[in-house]
Amino acid sequence: MARDKKNEHRTEQFTKWIYAHRLLPAWKALTFPARDAYFHLAVRCMAETADKNGKVRNNNGEVFRSLRELSEDMGCTTKTAGAALADLQAKGWIVCTDPWVRGMDGKGRAAKFRLTMMSSKERPPTVEPKHWEPGHDYPVTVYRSYMPKPRKQRAANLSKKQNPPPHSGTVVYPNGAHLRVAT
């Protein structure tokens, strides 16, 4: 077959996805923002390194995205993006290779990550998500403060009633919106 010349100059970014990864318990345990963040990082792993002449190199291990830029890509807040990156680290999907630096005079650097299910220049994939078990998360090195509270603590917050009923003996009068006219 001849090559398809009309698709040589396309600008869309694609990423390879393997269905077996989606069946792993580590993927099912991720939050939806974490799944979305993983796709954004996977696209950045290959698509952003294309040269003008079409040569593409694998930059796995050097994938970076600041929280502000990732939150704009995902359409969420920076706290949600930070929680997504922390969740991906806890389940083993990404590993921090270079932590973020605040920098002087606005010259900070975003954290760099390695996607564990993809090979890099130095090593084959380490597939940590295949070895993840519920309740045994991997250490989170960056964005730990964005981790959501454990489910038991969240359940305690949800069990509190926001609008408690009035004390006994108090007569409740409905407003006009709650009254219906019987016909």
Side-chain angles (χ1 to χ4, degrees), residues 18-31:
I18 300 171
Y19 183 72
H21 294 173
R22 199 170 161 198
L23 300 177
L24 294 172
W27 182 259
K28 292 179 181 179
L30 287 175
T31 60

Side-chain angles (χ1 to χ4, degrees), residues 68 101-109:
R68 288 182 192 164
V101 177
R102 186 176 303 265
M104 301 299 285
D105 299 326
K107 294 185 172 136
R109 288 191 332 245

Side-chain angles (χ1 to χ4, degrees), residues 11-168:
T11 59
E12 295 92 8
Q13 297 177 347
F14 297 98
T15 183
K16 181 179 179 183
W17 183 246
I18 300 171
Y19 183 72
H21 294 173
R22 199 170 161 198
L23 300 177
L24 294 172
W27 182 259
K28 292 179 181 179
L30 287 175
T31 60
F32 288 113
R35 294 176 185 184
D36 191 27
Y38 184 79
F39 281 120
H40 284 286
L41 292 177
V43 166
R44 301 246 172 240
C45 188
M46 296 292 265
E48 294 251 324
T49 60
D51 295 332
K52 299 252 185 205
N53 57 4
K55 292 181 182 175
V56 177
R57 69 174 182 89
N58 183 350
N59 70 336
N60 195 10
E62 301 170 9
V63 178
F64 66 94
R65 200 74 177 139
S66 71
L67 285 184
R68 288 182 192 164
E69 293 171 341
L70 184 62
S71 66
E72 287 175 10
D73 292 345
M74 294 171 54
C76 64
T77 64
T78 55
K79 288 184 179 183
T80 304
L85 291 176
D87 196 20
L88 285 169
Q89 290 177 71
K91 305 301 186 281
W93 289 96
I94 61 174
V95 173
C96 180
T97 57
D98 189 17
W100 62 274
V101 177
R102 186 176 303 265
M104 301 299 285
D105 299 326
K107 294 185 172 136
R109 288 191 332 245
K112 293 182 181 178
F113 296 100
R114 176 177 56 88
L115 282 67
T116 59
M117 298 301 275
M118 299 175 79
S119 62
S120 64
K121 292 182 284 188
E122 300 89 33
R123 59 168 57 172
T126 53
V127 295
E128 278 96 341
K130 288 185 178 181
H131 307 294
W132 179 84
E133 295 176 0
H136 301 287
D137 287 348
Y138 292 100
V140 178
T141 56
V142 292
Y143 307 122
R144 183 189 323 252
S145 62
Y146 291 99
M147 286 289 289
K149 293 180 180 176
R151 293 194 183 272
K152 290 181 183 177
Q153 291 178 1
R154 287 189 284 167
N157 288 340
L158 293 176
S159 66
K160 296 177 187 175
K161 293 185 179 179
Q162 292 182 351
N163 298 322
H167 298 290
S168 62

